Amino acid sequence: YVLIDLKRLGDPELISGSAVLLRANSTGVTGLCWIDSDTHTWKNGLHLGKFKLNFRNLMNEASAGSEL
């Protein structure tokens, strides 16, 4: 497994145990990560989050057909 440390604007739904998709816009490659740990801080009215992500799966973007 690959571990990734990430800092970004906070989202109260991003908590340990949740899964998130990360996408590299330059390549279109998407990775499924699990949040191993999260820290949320509020400073000067700004919600920030720090996350340790566990990279589990890699997939290329694809379009699915429609259901009939």
Side-chain angles (χ1 to χ4, degrees), residues 2 4 6 18-25 27-35 53-62:
V2 176
I4 302 168
L6 175 70
S18 298
V20 294
L21 288 174
L22 295 181
R23 180 179 172 170
N25 289 331
T27 63
V29 174
T30 303
L32 175 64
C33 298
W34 294 95
I35 301 174
L53 304 178
N54 190 337
F55 186 70
R56 299 277 177 109
N57 193 8
L58 181 68
M59 62 187 108
N60 289 322
E61 185 175 2

Side-chain angles (χ1 to χ4, degrees), residues 32-48:
L32 175 64
C33 298
W34 294 95
I35 301 174
D36 282 348
S37 66
D38 63 290
T39 304
H40 298 265
T41 57
W42 286 261
K43 187 174 182 178
N44 298 325
L46 188 61
H47 179 193
L48 300 174

